[in-house]
Amino acid sequence: AQKITQTQPGMFVQEKEAVTLDCTYDTSDQSYGLFWYKQPSSGEMIFLIYQGSYDEQNATEGRYSLNFQKARKSANLVISASQLGDSAMYFCATGNQFYFGTGTSLTVIP
Amino acid sequence: GAVVSQHPSWVICKSGTSVKIECRSLDFQATTMFWYRQFPKQSLMLMATSNEGSKATYEQGVEKDKFLINHASLTLSTLTVTSAHPEDSSFYICSARDTGHYGYTFGSGTRLTVV
């Protein structure tokens, strides 16, 4: 099984600032996808962004971007212009069966 | 977009009883669905992969006889927690992949409390 590591259990960011959430992975697959999901307190899982391992450019979706460094096996999520509604758990995931990292709890401070 | 409907959203049951959780893909066919379990402030742990028309594939350490999975059609997978005990209390969530979408779509989850 793939192994996903998120080393930041909790993060704080000032409203309107940018924040980077770390994710490293370990896989022997040649082709794979990396996903980030947001989980607010309600429990729902909200898809944020996807990066394919063969994509040459870093993925972007609105205020979300992915800093993908294939050689280092890292796929960090960058949230720009943080908003209070961004406070939630964030999970990195990969693999055909979709294994998740341990998650990072993000709190946006007014 | 793809929608996965999960019911019930919460359930309280007595110890020793069984509880069934349903997951339906509303606007797409899901040959494969995944079932996860999540304890408070922890990550989602994959329990099993549910394949339409065949037996589910369980992750190591997950009791097959305790967590019965049935994927009888391309739009419905069910998870039955048999003879539930308080330690089975958790948040259970399913997901499926719509081939036209990169991400996996999740159900809204079921909070199970066994008393």
Side-chain angles (χ1 to χ4, degrees):
Chain A
Q2 282 88 351
K3 182 179 178 180
I4 312 294
T5 303
Q6 293 180 253
T7 59
Q8 306 152 315
M11 289 282 286
F12 292 86
V13 63
Q14 203 75 39
E15 192 178 6
K16 300 180 184 178
E17 298 291 313
V19 63
T20 298
L21 307 183
D22 295 341
C23 172
T24 58
Y25 58 92
D26 184 16
T27 179
S28 57
D29 293 342
Q30 293 299 310
S31 177
Y32 50 90
L34 293 149
F35 303 79
W36 276 92
Y37 279 79
K38 172 184 177 181
Q39 187 182 41
S41 57
S42 61
E44 63 184 311
M45 295 293 286
I46 302 170
F47 168 72
L48 296 179
I49 196 167
Y50 165 84
Q51 177 85 44
S53 59
Y54 284 104
D55 293 340
E56 293 186 355
Q57 292 195 331
N58 287 339
T60 60
E61 287 286 348
R63 294 187 299 111
Y64 304 107
S65 61
L66 219 155
N67 183 0
F68 181 50
Q69 297 183 51
K70 190 173 181 178
R72 296 180 60 186
K73 294 189 175 180
S74 77
N76 299 337
L77 177 71
V78 181
I79 304 175
S80 62
S82 296
Q83 301 172 357
L84 296 178
D86 293 335
S87 295
M89 285 291 295
Y90 289 80
F91 293 98
C92 177
T94 189
N96 290 327
Q97 284 95 345
F98 233 53
Y99 294 101
F100 283 88
T102 49
T104 296
S105 175
L106 177 66
T107 302
V108 180
I109 304 168
Chain B
V3 176
V4 173
S5 175
Q6 184 172 344
H7 293 280
S9 56
W10 62 270
V11 59
I12 301 173
C13 71
K14 289 186 176 180
S15 186
T17 62
S18 295
V19 173
K20 180 184 284 187
I21 302 169
E22 290 190 350
C23 220
R24 292 179 185 273
S25 56
L26 296 187
D27 48 2
F28 67 101
Q29 293 183 332
T31 54
T32 302
M33 287 191 178
F34 304 99
W35 287 95
Y36 296 86
R37 180 176 184 174
Q38 185 180 30
F39 291 107
K41 299 191 183 300
Q42 293 189 23
S43 185
L44 283 75
M45 300 301 297
L46 179 66
M47 298 174 66
T49 303
S50 167
N51 302 296
E52 186 269 333
S54 64
K55 291 183 178 180
T57 303
Y58 289 81
E59 293 295 299
Q60 192 172 10
V62 178
E63 298 176 62
K64 301 178 184 180
D65 296 332
K66 177 107 181 129
F67 300 100
L68 300 179
I69 291 173
N70 184 281
H71 196 151
S73 75
L74 287 171
T75 59
L76 175 64
S77 177
T78 60
L79 168 67
T80 301
V81 182
T82 63
S83 186
H85 290 286
E87 57 265 30
D88 299 324
S89 298
S90 189
F91 185 66
Y92 294 87
I93 191 166
C94 64
S95 75
R97 185 172 188 179
D98 178 7
T99 54
H101 178 63
Y102 282 129
Y104 289 66
T105 303
F106 283 79
S108 53
T110 299
R111 295 193 184 278
L112 170 64
T113 302
V114 184
V115 297

